[in-house]
Amino acid sequence: MNFRRKIRIYSKALKRRTIGLSYGDTWQGQDNQFYEEMHKHGFKKNEDFVNYLKTTECKTVLEIGCGTGIYPIKYKELFKNKDYLGIDVSKSAIKYCKNNSDFEFICDDFSELEINRKFDLVYSHGVINHVSNIDLFLKKSIEITKKYAYIQASHGYFPELDEHKMIWAKNEGIFNTDLSIKQT
């Protein structure tokens, strides 16, 4: 591990212990290897999604929480002749995407971003569990969808909950949310 990376990791750890992180800081500075590892852990759900992409007709695609662009870069043949837009809060992930793909990428918080166009497919994997306002996230996702929305939760559903249970993970700079099936 090079010296600059060690300094960045130690600085981040010190900041987490002392003041916590602001929303989205967890993802800053993560490299493609980090996102590849996350992708590998969900092999079955990722395989299901790739099969879904192969059988779904769509010309415009929005990915919310694209990370380092695993889908449009690794599976670029599935996005051939498609107008793809990827959004993520991580500057380093978006920089990686722009350096390794010709698709369009934006670094921003989807919940705060104003999008004035609609997409045939809007998809997101595991992002909904970490947003501060799940209802707003779903509302905005549906408003900009022309045909299909594929929103996948990573923590599952809890039918006994009447409301979403949201826990701010100060040392990670994210929300960890149990989703209420009654509310979704």
Side-chain angles (χ1 to χ4, degrees):
M1 183 181 315
N2 71 30
F3 181 72
R4 286 180 191 224
R5 182 165 165 78
K6 282 182 185 178
I7 293 294
R8 191 173 13 149
I9 290 169
Y10 291 128
S11 297
K12 215 183 235 188
L14 180 62
K15 183 179 177 185
R16 282 183 188 144
R17 285 190 197 108
T18 56
I19 59 173
L21 298 176
S22 62
Y23 179 70
D25 279 354
T26 295
W27 316 114
Q28 305 307 325
Q30 297 294 352
D31 59 13
N32 187 52
Q33 183 179 351
F34 169 81
Y35 288 96
E36 285 280 354
E37 286 299 316
M38 284 183 16
H39 186 76
K40 284 181 195 173
H41 289 296
F43 173 76
K44 180 64 177 143
K45 66 183 173 189
N46 296 323
E47 182 180 65
D48 289 346
F49 183 66
V50 168
N51 288 331
Y52 175 81
L53 283 174
K54 288 178 182 177
T55 61
T56 303
E57 282 192 40
C58 54
K59 293 185 181 183
T60 56
V61 179
L62 170 67
E63 181 178 8
I64 305 164
C66 65
T68 55
I70 300 291
Y71 288 106
I73 294 173
K74 190 173 188 170
Y75 305 103
K76 63 183 165 198
E77 71 280 354
L78 294 174
F79 295 90
K80 190 176 179 180
N81 302 320
K82 292 184 184 349
D83 179 13
Y84 170 93
L85 171 61
I87 299 173
D88 201 278
V89 295
S90 171
K91 291 175 190 166
S92 56
I94 294 300
K95 182 178 179 184
Y96 179 88
C97 291
K98 288 180 176 182
N99 289 337
N100 291 282
S101 175
D102 292 328
F103 291 113
E104 182 183 1
F105 297 93
I106 297 173
C107 183
D108 211 327
D109 181 344
F110 170 73
S111 295
E112 296 177 9
L113 187 62
E114 188 172 320
I115 299 175
N116 296 318
R117 62 191 221 208
K118 292 190 176 248
F119 299 85
D120 295 332
L121 171 63
V122 173
Y123 74 94
S124 179
H125 295 273
V127 174
I128 195 168
N129 299 93
H130 303 294
V131 299
S132 60
N133 187 333
I134 293 170
D135 295 328
L136 175 64
F137 180 87
L138 288 171
K139 180 180 183 249
K140 285 186 76 165
S141 298
I142 291 167
E143 285 176 350
I144 60 173
T145 301
K146 282 196 250 180
K147 293 182 181 180
Y148 311 105
Y150 195 109
I151 309 297
Q152 184 184 71
S154 59
H155 296 153
Y157 295 100
F158 300 86
E160 71 280 1
L161 293 178
D162 290 325
E163 294 185 16
H164 305 310
K165 178 181 171 190
M166 301 180 68
I167 302 155
W168 174 249
K170 178 183 173 186
N171 291 337
E172 295 177 63
I174 58 174
F175 289 95
N176 289 312
T177 306
D178 295 341
L179 299 177
S180 164
I181 199 160
K182 294 176 184 175
Q183 202 171 1
T184 54

Coordinates of all heavy atoms in Angstrom, one line a residue, residues 54-127:
K54 N -30.9 -8.1 -20.2 CA -30.9 -8.7 -21.5 C -32.3 -8.9 -22.1 O -32.4 -9.0 -23.3 CB -30.2 -10.1 -21.3 CG -28.7 -10.1 -21.1 CD -28.2 -11.5 -20.9 CE -26.7 -11.5 -20.6 NZ -26.2 -12.8 -20.4
T55 N -33.3 -8.9 -21.3 CA -34.6 -9.2 -21.8 C -35.5 -8.0 -21.7 O -36.7 -8.1 -22.1 CB -35.3 -10.3 -20.9 OG1 -35.4 -9.9 -19.6 CG2 -34.5 -11.6 -21.1
T56 N -35.0 -6.8 -21.3 CA -35.9 -5.6 -21.1 C -35.5 -4.6 -22.2 O -34.3 -4.2 -22.3 CB -35.7 -5.0 -19.7 OG1 -36.0 -6.0 -18.8 CG2 -36.6 -3.8 -19.5
E57 N -36.5 -4.1 -22.9 CA -36.2 -3.1 -24.0 C -36.3 -1.7 -23.4 O -37.3 -1.3 -22.8 CB -37.2 -3.2 -25.1 CG -37.0 -4.4 -26.0 CD -37.8 -4.3 -27.3 OE1 -38.0 -3.2 -27.8 OE2 -38.3 -5.3 -27.7
C58 N -35.1 -1.1 -23.4 CA -35.1 0.3 -22.9 C -34.0 1.1 -23.7 O -33.0 0.5 -24.0 CB -34.9 0.4 -21.4 SG -33.4 -0.5 -20.9
K59 N -34.2 2.3 -24.0 CA -33.3 3.1 -24.7 C -32.6 4.1 -23.8 O -31.5 4.5 -24.1 CB -34.0 3.8 -25.9 CG -34.4 2.9 -26.9 CD -35.0 3.6 -28.1 CE -35.5 2.5 -29.1 NZ -36.0 2.9 -30.3
T60 N -33.3 4.5 -22.7 CA -32.7 5.5 -21.8 C -32.6 4.8 -20.4 O -33.6 4.2 -19.9 CB -33.5 6.8 -21.7 OG1 -34.9 6.4 -21.4 CG2 -33.5 7.5 -23.0
V61 N -31.5 4.9 -19.7 CA -31.2 4.3 -18.5 C -30.6 5.2 -17.5 O -29.6 5.9 -17.8 CB -30.3 3.0 -18.7 CG1 -30.0 2.3 -17.4 CG2 -30.8 2.1 -19.7
L62 N -31.1 5.2 -16.2 CA -30.5 5.9 -15.1 C -30.2 4.9 -14.0 O -31.0 4.2 -13.6 CB -31.5 7.0 -14.6 CG -31.1 7.6 -13.3 CD1 -29.8 8.5 -13.5 CD2 -32.2 8.5 -12.7
E63 N -28.9 5.0 -13.6 CA -28.5 4.2 -12.4 C -28.2 5.1 -11.3 O -27.4 6.0 -11.4 CB -27.2 3.4 -12.7 CG -26.8 2.6 -11.5 CD -25.6 1.7 -11.8 OE1 -24.9 1.8 -12.9 OE2 -25.3 0.9 -10.9
I64 N -29.0 4.9 -10.2 CA -28.8 5.7 -9.0 C -27.8 5.0 -8.1 O -28.1 3.9 -7.6 CB -30.1 6.0 -8.3 CG1 -31.2 6.6 -9.2 CG2 -29.9 6.8 -7.0 CD1 -32.6 6.4 -8.7
G65 N -26.7 5.6 -7.8 CA -25.7 5.0 -6.9 C -24.8 4.0 -7.8 O -24.6 2.9 -7.5
C66 N -24.2 4.6 -8.9 CA -23.5 3.8 -9.8 C -22.1 3.3 -9.4 O -21.5 2.4 -10.0 CB -23.4 4.5 -11.2 SG -22.4 6.0 -11.1
G67 N -21.6 3.9 -8.3 CA -20.3 3.6 -7.8 C -19.3 3.8 -9.0 O -19.3 4.8 -9.6
T68 N -18.4 2.8 -9.2 CA -17.4 2.9 -10.3 C -17.9 2.3 -11.6 O -17.2 1.9 -12.4 CB -16.1 2.2 -9.9 OG1 -16.4 0.8 -9.5 CG2 -15.4 2.9 -8.7
G69 N -19.2 2.3 -11.7 CA -19.8 1.9 -13.0 C -19.7 0.5 -13.4 O -19.4 0.1 -14.6
I70 N -19.8 -0.4 -12.4 CA -19.7 -1.8 -12.7 C -20.5 -2.3 -13.9 O -20.0 -2.9 -14.8 CB -20.0 -2.7 -11.4 CG1 -19.1 -2.3 -10.3 CG2 -20.0 -4.2 -11.8 CD1 -17.7 -2.7 -10.4
Y71 N -21.8 -1.9 -13.8 CA -22.7 -2.4 -14.9 C -22.3 -1.8 -16.3 O -22.1 -2.5 -17.3 CB -24.2 -2.2 -14.6 CG -24.6 -3.2 -13.5 CD1 -24.8 -2.7 -12.2 CD2 -24.8 -4.5 -13.8 CE1 -25.2 -3.6 -11.2 CE2 -25.2 -5.4 -12.8 CZ -25.4 -5.0 -11.5 OH -25.8 -5.8 -10.6
P72 N -22.3 -0.5 -16.4 CA -22.0 0.1 -17.8 C -20.6 -0.2 -18.3 O -20.4 -0.1 -19.5 CB -22.3 1.5 -17.6 CG -22.1 1.8 -16.2 CD -22.5 0.6 -15.5
I73 N -19.7 -0.4 -17.4 CA -18.3 -0.7 -17.8 C -18.0 -2.2 -18.0 O -17.6 -2.6 -19.1 CB -17.3 -0.1 -16.8 CG1 -17.4 1.5 -16.8 CG2 -15.9 -0.5 -17.2 CD1 -16.6 2.2 -15.8
K74 N -18.4 -3.0 -17.0 CA -18.1 -4.4 -17.1 C -19.1 -5.1 -18.1 O -18.7 -6.1 -18.8 CB -18.3 -5.0 -15.7 CG -17.8 -6.5 -15.6 CD -17.9 -6.9 -14.1 CE -17.2 -8.3 -14.0 NZ -17.0 -8.6 -12.6
Y75 N -20.3 -4.6 -18.2 CA -21.3 -5.2 -19.1 C -21.7 -4.2 -20.1 O -22.9 -4.1 -20.5 CB -22.5 -5.6 -18.2 CG -22.2 -6.5 -17.1 CD1 -22.2 -6.1 -15.8 CD2 -22.0 -7.9 -17.3 CE1 -21.9 -6.9 -14.7 CE2 -21.7 -8.7 -16.2 CZ -21.7 -8.2 -14.9 OH -21.4 -9.1 -13.9
K76 N -20.7 -3.5 -20.7 CA -21.0 -2.5 -21.6 C -21.8 -2.9 -22.9 O -22.5 -2.1 -23.4 CB -19.7 -1.7 -22.0 CG -18.7 -2.6 -22.8 CD -17.5 -1.8 -23.1 CE -16.4 -2.7 -23.5 NZ -15.1 -2.1 -23.3
E77 N -21.7 -4.2 -23.2 CA -22.5 -4.7 -24.4 C -24.0 -4.6 -24.1 O -24.8 -4.4 -25.1 CB -22.1 -6.1 -24.8 CG -22.5 -7.2 -23.8 CD -21.6 -7.3 -22.6 OE1 -20.6 -6.7 -22.4 OE2 -22.0 -8.1 -21.7
L78 N -24.4 -4.6 -22.9 CA -25.8 -4.5 -22.5 C -26.3 -3.1 -22.6 O -27.5 -2.9 -22.7 CB -26.1 -5.0 -21.1 CG -25.8 -6.5 -20.9 CD1 -26.0 -6.9 -19.4 CD2 -26.8 -7.4 -21.7
F79 N -25.4 -2.1 -22.7 CA -25.8 -0.7 -22.7 C -25.5 -0.1 -24.1 O -25.6 1.1 -24.3 CB -25.1 0.0 -21.6 CG -25.5 -0.4 -20.3 CD1 -24.8 -1.4 -19.6 CD2 -26.6 0.2 -19.7 CE1 -25.3 -1.8 -18.3 CE2 -27.0 -0.2 -18.4 CZ -26.3 -1.2 -17.7
K80 N -25.0 -1.0 -25.0 CA -24.8 -0.5 -26.4 C -26.0 0.1 -27.0 O -27.1 -0.4 -26.8 CB -24.3 -1.7 -27.2 CG -23.7 -1.3 -28.5 CD -23.2 -2.6 -29.2 CE -22.7 -2.2 -30.6 NZ -22.2 -3.3 -31.3
N81 N -25.9 1.3 -27.6 CA -27.0 2.0 -28.2 C -28.0 2.5 -27.2 O -29.2 2.7 -27.5 CB -27.7 1.2 -29.3 CG -26.7 0.8 -30.4 OD1 -25.9 1.6 -30.8 ND2 -26.8 -0.5 -30.8
K82 N -27.6 2.6 -25.9 CA -28.5 3.2 -24.9 C -28.0 4.5 -24.4 O -26.8 4.7 -24.4 CB -28.6 2.2 -23.7 CG -29.4 0.9 -24.1 CD -29.5 0.0 -22.9 CE -30.2 -1.3 -23.0 NZ -30.8 -1.7 -24.3
D83 N -28.9 5.4 -24.0 CA -28.5 6.6 -23.4 C -28.5 6.3 -21.9 O -29.5 6.2 -21.3 CB -29.5 7.7 -23.8 CG -29.3 9.0 -23.1 OD1 -28.1 9.2 -22.6 OD2 -30.2 9.9 -23.1
Y84 N -27.3 6.2 -21.3 CA -27.1 5.8 -19.9 C -26.6 7.1 -19.1 O -25.7 7.8 -19.6 CB -26.0 4.7 -19.8 CG -25.6 4.4 -18.4 CD1 -26.2 3.5 -17.6 CD2 -24.5 5.2 -17.8 CE1 -25.8 3.2 -16.3 CE2 -24.1 4.9 -16.5 CZ -24.8 4.0 -15.8 OH -24.4 3.8 -14.5
L85 N -27.1 7.2 -17.9 CA -26.7 8.2 -17.0 C -26.5 7.6 -15.6 O -27.4 6.9 -15.1 CB -27.7 9.4 -16.8 CG -27.4 10.4 -15.7 CD1 -26.1 11.1 -15.9 CD2 -28.6 11.4 -15.6
G86 N -25.3 7.7 -15.0 CA -25.0 7.2 -13.7 C -24.8 8.3 -12.7 O -24.1 9.3 -13.1
I87 N -25.4 8.2 -11.5 CA -25.3 9.2 -10.5 C -24.7 8.5 -9.2 O -25.1 7.4 -8.9 CB -26.6 9.8 -10.1 CG1 -27.2 10.5 -11.4 CG2 -26.5 10.8 -9.0 CD1 -28.7 11.0 -11.2
D88 N -23.8 9.2 -8.6 CA -23.2 8.7 -7.3 C -22.7 9.9 -6.5 O -22.3 10.9 -7.1 CB -22.1 7.7 -7.6 CG -21.8 6.8 -6.4 OD1 -21.1 7.2 -5.4 OD2 -22.4 5.7 -6.4
V89 N -22.7 9.7 -5.2 CA -22.2 10.8 -4.3 C -20.6 10.8 -4.2 O -20.1 11.7 -3.7 CB -22.7 10.6 -2.8 CG1 -24.2 10.9 -2.8 CG2 -22.4 9.3 -2.2
S90 N -20.0 9.7 -4.7 CA -18.5 9.6 -4.5 C -17.8 10.3 -5.7 O -17.9 9.9 -6.9 CB -18.1 8.2 -4.4 OG -16.7 8.1 -4.5
K91 N -17.0 11.3 -5.4 CA -16.2 12.0 -6.4 C -15.2 11.0 -7.1 O -15.0 11.0 -8.3 CB -15.5 13.2 -5.8 CG -16.4 14.3 -5.4 CD -15.6 15.4 -4.7 CE -16.6 16.4 -4.1 NZ -16.0 17.3 -3.1
S92 N -14.5 10.2 -6.2 CA -13.5 9.3 -6.7 C -14.2 8.2 -7.7 O -13.6 7.9 -8.7 CB -12.7 8.6 -5.6 OG -13.6 8.0 -4.7
A93 N -15.4 7.8 -7.3 CA -16.0 6.8 -8.1 C -16.4 7.4 -9.5 O -16.2 6.8 -10.5 CB -17.3 6.2 -7.4
I94 N -17.0 8.6 -9.5 CA -17.4 9.2 -10.7 C -16.1 9.5 -11.6 O -16.2 9.4 -12.8 CB -18.2 10.5 -10.4 CG1 -19.5 10.1 -9.8 CG2 -18.4 11.3 -11.7 CD1 -20.4 9.2 -10.6
K95 N -15.0 9.9 -10.9 CA -13.8 10.2 -11.7 C -13.4 8.9 -12.4 O -13.0 8.9 -13.6 CB -12.7 10.7 -10.8 CG -11.4 11.0 -11.5 CD -10.4 11.5 -10.5 CE -9.1 11.8 -11.2 NZ -8.0 12.2 -10.3
Y96 N -13.4 7.8 -11.7 CA -13.1 6.5 -12.3 C -14.0 6.2 -13.5 O -13.5 5.8 -14.5 CB -13.2 5.4 -11.2 CG -12.9 4.0 -11.8 CD1 -11.6 3.5 -11.8 CD2 -13.9 3.2 -12.4 CE1 -11.3 2.3 -12.3 CE2 -13.6 2.0 -12.9 CZ -12.3 1.5 -12.9 OH -12.0 0.3 -13.4
C97 N -15.3 6.4 -13.3 CA -16.2 6.2 -14.4 C -15.9 7.0 -15.6 O -15.9 6.5 -16.7 CB -17.7 6.5 -13.9 SG -18.3 5.4 -12.7
K98 N -15.7 8.2 -15.4 CA -15.4 9.1 -16.5 C -14.1 8.8 -17.2 O -13.9 9.0 -18.5 CB -15.3 10.6 -16.1 CG -16.7 11.1 -15.7 CD -16.7 12.6 -15.2 CE -18.1 13.1 -15.0 NZ -18.1 14.5 -14.6
N99 N -13.1 8.2 -16.5 CA -11.8 7.8 -17.1 C -11.9 6.5 -17.8 O -11.0 6.1 -18.6 CB -10.7 7.8 -16.0 CG -10.3 9.1 -15.5 OD1 -10.5 10.1 -16.2 ND2 -9.8 9.2 -14.3
N100 N -13.0 5.7 -17.5 CA -13.0 4.4 -18.1 C -14.3 4.1 -18.9 O -14.5 2.9 -19.3 CB -13.0 3.3 -16.9 CG -11.6 3.3 -16.3 OD1 -10.7 2.7 -16.8 ND2 -11.5 4.0 -15.2
S101 N -15.0 5.1 -19.2 CA -16.3 4.9 -20.0 C -16.6 6.2 -20.7 O -16.3 7.3 -20.3 CB -17.4 4.5 -19.0 OG -18.6 4.4 -19.7
D102 N -17.4 6.1 -21.8 CA -17.9 7.2 -22.6 C -19.3 7.6 -22.1 O -19.8 8.6 -22.7 CB -17.8 6.9 -24.1 CG -16.4 6.8 -24.6 OD1 -15.5 7.5 -24.1 OD2 -16.2 6.0 -25.5
F103 N -19.9 6.9 -21.2 CA -21.2 7.2 -20.8 C -21.2 8.5 -19.9 O -20.1 8.9 -19.5 CB -21.8 6.0 -20.0 CG -22.1 4.8 -20.8 CD1 -21.4 3.6 -20.6 CD2 -23.1 4.9 -21.8 CE1 -21.7 2.5 -21.4 CE2 -23.4 3.8 -22.5 CZ -22.7 2.6 -22.4
E104 N -22.4 9.0 -19.6 CA -22.5 10.2 -18.8 C -22.6 9.8 -17.3 O -23.4 9.0 -16.9 CB -23.8 11.0 -19.2 CG -24.0 12.3 -18.5 CD -25.3 13.0 -18.9 OE1 -26.0 12.4 -19.8 OE2 -25.5 14.0 -18.4
F105 N -21.8 10.6 -16.5 CA -21.8 10.4 -15.1 C -21.9 11.7 -14.3 O -21.3 12.6 -14.8 CB -20.6 9.6 -14.6 CG -20.5 8.2 -15.2 CD1 -19.8 8.0 -16.4 CD2 -21.1 7.1 -14.6 CE1 -19.7 6.7 -16.9 CE2 -21.0 5.9 -15.1 CZ -20.3 5.6 -16.3
I106 N -22.6 11.7 -13.2 CA -22.8 12.9 -12.4 C -22.5 12.6 -11.0 O -23.0 11.6 -10.4 CB -24.2 13.5 -12.5 CG1 -24.6 13.9 -13.9 CG2 -24.4 14.7 -11.5 CD1 -26.0 14.3 -14.1
C107 N -21.7 13.5 -10.3 CA -21.4 13.3 -8.9 C -22.4 14.2 -8.1 O -22.3 15.5 -8.2 CB -20.0 13.7 -8.6 SG -19.6 13.4 -6.8
D108 N -23.4 13.6 -7.5 CA -24.4 14.4 -6.7 C -25.2 13.4 -5.9 O -25.1 12.2 -6.1 CB -25.3 15.2 -7.7 CG -25.8 16.5 -7.1 OD1 -25.9 16.5 -5.8 OD2 -25.9 17.4 -7.8
D109 N -26.0 14.0 -5.0 CA -26.9 13.2 -4.2 C -28.2 13.2 -4.9 O -28.9 14.2 -5.1 CB -27.1 13.9 -2.8 CG -28.0 13.1 -1.9 OD1 -28.8 12.3 -2.3 OD2 -28.0 13.4 -0.7
F110 N -28.7 12.0 -5.3 CA -29.9 11.9 -6.1 C -31.1 12.6 -5.5 O -31.9 13.2 -6.2 CB -30.2 10.4 -6.4 CG -31.5 10.2 -7.0 CD1 -31.8 10.5 -8.3 CD2 -32.6 9.6 -6.3 CE1 -33.0 10.3 -8.9 CE2 -33.8 9.4 -6.8 CZ -34.0 9.7 -8.2
S111 N -31.2 12.4 -4.2 CA -32.3 13.0 -3.5 C -32.4 14.5 -3.6 O -33.5 15.1 -3.5 CB -32.3 12.6 -2.0 OG -32.5 11.2 -1.9
E112 N -31.2 15.2 -3.8 CA -31.2 16.6 -3.9 C -31.1 17.1 -5.3 O -31.2 18.3 -5.5 CB -30.0 17.1 -3.1 CG -30.1 16.8 -1.6 CD -28.9 17.3 -0.8 OE1 -28.0 18.0 -1.3 OE2 -28.9 16.9 0.4
L113 N -30.9 16.2 -6.2 CA -30.7 16.6 -7.6 C -32.0 16.8 -8.4 O -33.0 16.0 -8.2 CB -29.9 15.5 -8.3 CG -29.4 15.7 -9.7 CD1 -28.4 16.9 -9.8 CD2 -28.7 14.4 -10.2
E114 N -32.1 17.8 -9.2 CA -33.3 18.0 -10.0 C -33.0 17.5 -11.4 O -32.1 17.9 -12.1 CB -33.6 19.5 -10.1 CG -34.9 19.7 -10.8 CD -35.4 21.2 -10.7 OE1 -35.2 21.8 -9.6 OE2 -35.9 21.7 -11.7
I115 N -33.8 16.5 -11.8 CA -33.6 15.8 -13.1 C -34.8 16.1 -13.9 O -36.0 15.8 -13.5 CB -33.4 14.3 -12.9 CG1 -32.2 14.0 -12.1 CG2 -33.4 13.6 -14.3 CD1 -32.0 12.6 -11.8
N116 N -34.6 16.8 -15.1 CA -35.7 17.2 -15.9 C -35.9 16.3 -17.1 O -36.4 16.8 -18.2 CB -35.5 18.7 -16.4 CG -35.4 19.6 -15.2 OD1 -36.2 19.5 -14.3 ND2 -34.5 20.5 -15.2
R117 N -35.6 15.1 -17.0 CA -35.9 14.1 -18.1 C -36.4 12.8 -17.5 O -36.2 12.6 -16.3 CB -34.7 14.0 -19.0 CG -33.5 13.4 -18.4 CD -32.3 13.5 -19.3 NE -31.5 12.3 -19.3 CZ -30.2 12.3 -19.5 NH1 -29.6 13.4 -19.8 NH2 -29.5 11.2 -19.5
K118 N -36.9 12.0 -18.4 CA -37.5 10.7 -17.9 C -36.7 9.6 -18.6 O -36.1 9.8 -19.7 CB -38.9 10.6 -18.2 CG -39.8 11.5 -17.4 CD -41.3 11.2 -17.6 CE -42.1 12.1 -16.7 NZ -42.7 11.3 -15.6
F119 N -36.7 8.4 -17.9 CA -35.9 7.3 -18.4 C -36.8 6.0 -18.5 O -37.7 5.8 -17.7 CB -34.7 7.0 -17.4 CG -33.8 8.1 -17.2 CD1 -34.0 9.1 -16.3 CD2 -32.6 8.1 -18.0 CE1 -33.2 10.2 -16.2 CE2 -31.7 9.2 -17.9 CZ -32.0 10.2 -17.0
D120 N -36.5 5.2 -19.5 CA -37.2 3.9 -19.7 C -36.9 3.0 -18.5 O -37.8 2.3 -18.1 CB -36.7 3.2 -21.0 CG -37.1 4.0 -22.3 OD1 -38.1 4.7 -22.2 OD2 -36.4 3.8 -23.3
L121 N -35.7 3.0 -18.0 CA -35.3 2.2 -16.9 C -34.6 3.1 -15.9 O -33.6 3.7 -16.2 CB -34.4 1.0 -17.3 CG -33.8 0.2 -16.2 CD1 -34.8 -0.5 -15.3 CD2 -32.8 -0.8 -16.8
V122 N -35.0 3.0 -14.6 CA -34.3 3.6 -13.5 C -34.0 2.5 -12.5 O -34.9 1.7 -12.1 CB -35.2 4.7 -12.8 CG1 -34.5 5.2 -11.5 CG2 -35.5 5.8 -13.7
Y123 N -32.7 2.3 -12.2 CA -32.4 1.2 -11.3 C -31.4 1.6 -10.2 O -30.6 2.6 -10.4 CB -31.9 0.0 -12.0 CG -30.5 0.0 -12.6 CD1 -29.4 -0.5 -11.9 CD2 -30.3 0.5 -13.9 CE1 -28.2 -0.5 -12.5 CE2 -29.0 0.5 -14.5 CZ -28.0 0.0 -13.8 OH -26.7 0.1 -14.3
S124 N -31.4 0.9 -9.1 CA -30.6 1.2 -8.0 C -30.4 -0.1 -7.2 O -31.4 -0.8 -6.9 CB -31.2 2.3 -7.1 OG -30.4 2.6 -6.0
H125 N -29.2 -0.4 -6.8 CA -28.9 -1.6 -6.0 C -28.3 -1.2 -4.6 O -27.2 -0.6 -4.5 CB -27.9 -2.5 -6.7 CG -28.4 -3.0 -8.0 ND1 -29.2 -4.2 -8.0 CD2 -28.4 -2.5 -9.3 CE1 -29.5 -4.4 -9.3 NE2 -29.1 -3.4 -10.0
G126 N -29.1 -1.5 -3.6 CA -28.6 -1.3 -2.2 C -28.5 0.2 -1.7 O -28.0 0.4 -0.7
V127 N -28.9 1.1 -2.5 CA -28.8 2.5 -2.2 C -29.9 2.9 -1.2 O -29.7 3.7 -0.3 CB -28.8 3.4 -3.5 CG1 -28.8 4.9 -3.1 CG2 -27.6 3.1 -4.3

